[in-house]
Amino acid sequence: MNDPILPMPHSAGRRPEPGLHLVATPIGSARDITLRALDTLAGADVLAAEDTRTLRHLMEIHGIPVNGRLMIPYHDHNGEAARPRILGVLAEGKSVAYASEAGTPLIADPGLKLARVAMDAGYKVIAAPGASAVLTALTVAGLPTDRFFFAGFAPSTATARRSWLSELSAVRATVVIYESPKRTARTLSDLAEIFGANRQAAVCRELTKRFEETRRGTLAELAAHYAQGDPRGEVVLVIDRSDEVVVEAADVEAALRAALGGGARVKEAAAEIALKFGLAKRDVYQLALTLQEDEPPSEA
């Protein structure tokens, strides 16, 4: 985290209400923390974080003491053990502030199960909104933002990645993908082949940090540029929506029959084909039900 700053006054005496508080933290510049987030971190009874060292450093920058409060690590590898501890704190009527390592909790972050179990147990879950790499990338990419699809992290293996990208290629929305700098060149090459070489896109790197960079162009141009060397830092890929495609009813029906014939359930087949052709899921689902009803019974 960069941009050390002088501590600002915060409402240390204002205790958050009992419940789980999801606190968005800066994705780069420490100045992007919100006043509400500072108040929550200052007043919460217990602090939980994907990386407690990162949270402690952020609090030090802003002059917020831990004051002996319990800090609970919560990440992908200890969730099963950490959730009962946090639920136990909530059961005592206390407030818990949970912060992801960077950005908004639950967005490509392990906090989802924690929030769900807290909700299911009847505890209040409150968001203290703030920085998000998804929205920041959309802001600077220069691509349509009226409708976008956040796809998360791309699969690491080549076969899984290409299959995953094929499903995304017909999405009628701007697509946002998180990617490792070491795989950015390969993913851009796959995108150029699967989405189309002339599709407009942007590579957003190190957002809000000192060496922030956004490179825009066609997928072919971006793939050629990054083939020369891997970028440094965290990367967000933003890809323009596909052109309007005329979908033939016969093609949709054939794809549905193939999916159903391959053993997919009606709901799964409908979701898959709707995404592939950019159609409304409910319409494809109704067609899938009709096709299933028309199928002759199999012979014993």
Side-chain angles (χ1 to χ4, degrees):
M1 193 164 300
N2 61 350
D3 284 357
I5 60 178
L6 293 175
M8 293 181 63
H10 50 79
S11 303
R14 184 187 301 165
R15 294 187 60 189
E17 62 182 302
L20 178 63
H21 297 257
L22 305 175
V23 182
T25 57
I27 59 176
S29 173
R31 294 178 182 271
D32 290 338
I33 192 77
T34 68
L35 295 178
R36 182 180 174 189
L38 293 177
D39 289 345
T40 303
L41 293 174
D45 297 309
V46 172
L47 302 165
E50 185 178 2
D51 189 326
T52 55
R53 295 167 300 178
T54 300
L55 179 59
R56 189 183 293 270
H57 178 55
L58 176 66
M59 292 171 64
E60 288 174 354
I61 289 174
H62 291 283
I64 300 175
V66 175
N67 283 340
R69 286 178 291 171
L70 177 64
M71 295 191 79
I72 303 176
Y74 183 88
H75 46 73
D76 285 326
H77 305 294
N78 77 337
E80 293 297 326
R83 280 193 293 276
R85 292 184 65 194
I86 295 173
L87 287 177
V89 172
L90 294 174
E92 296 173 3
K94 294 182 178 179
S95 58
V96 178
Y98 169 73
S100 61
E101 186 171 2
T104 298
L106 278 65
I107 307 299
D109 168 83
L112 177 60
K113 287 185 178 179
L114 174 60
R116 279 184 170 175
V117 296
M119 293 173 190
D120 291 343
Y123 300 115
K124 194 165 186 178
V125 177
I126 308 109
S132 167
V134 177
L135 297 180
T136 305
L138 282 166
T139 301
V140 299
L143 297 172
T145 58
D146 58 314
R147 187 181 184 196
F148 63 88
F149 182 85
F150 174 55
F153 284 95
S156 58
T157 61
T159 301
R161 183 172 61 251
R162 290 177 63 84
S163 175
W164 184 76
L165 291 175
S166 294
E167 294 178 358
L168 293 175
S169 62
V171 170
R172 293 287 299 147
T174 299
V175 176
V176 183
I177 298 172
Y178 285 172
E179 187 52 285
S180 159
K182 294 183 178 180
R183 291 194 295 268
T184 295
R186 281 172 284 180
T187 297
L188 285 169
S189 178
D190 289 340
L191 280 165
E193 179 181 344
I194 296 169
F195 279 51
N198 293 323
R199 185 88 70 93
Q200 291 293 314
V203 177
C204 305
R205 184 179 67 84
E206 291 289 84
L207 291 169
T208 80
K209 299 177 183 177
R210 182 180 179 184
F211 297 106
E212 177 178 346
E213 175 190 48
T214 299
R215 182 174 292 274
R216 306 171 186 86
T218 66
L219 285 171
E221 292 168 343
L222 294 171
H225 174 80
Y226 288 103
Q228 302 173 31
D230 294 330
R232 294 183 179 181
E234 298 177 351
V235 173
V236 183
L237 307 177
V238 186
I239 306 100
D240 198 0
R241 64 193 61 187
S242 62
D243 294 329
E244 191 70 51
V245 176
V246 177
V247 179
E248 298 292 339
D251 294 335
V252 177
E253 183 175 326
L256 268 176
R257 289 189 185 279
L260 293 170
R265 296 182 178 180
V266 172
K267 188 174 182 180
E268 295 171 346
E272 175 187 342
I273 303 308
L275 181 63
K276 178 178 180 180
F277 288 98
L279 300 172
K281 189 185 299 185
R282 62 180 180 277
D283 295 336
V284 181
Y285 180 73
Q286 289 301 320
L287 176 59
L289 288 176
T290 302
L291 293 177
Q292 189 180 54
E293 291 171 358
D294 292 343
E295 284 292 318
S298 57
E299 297 181 2

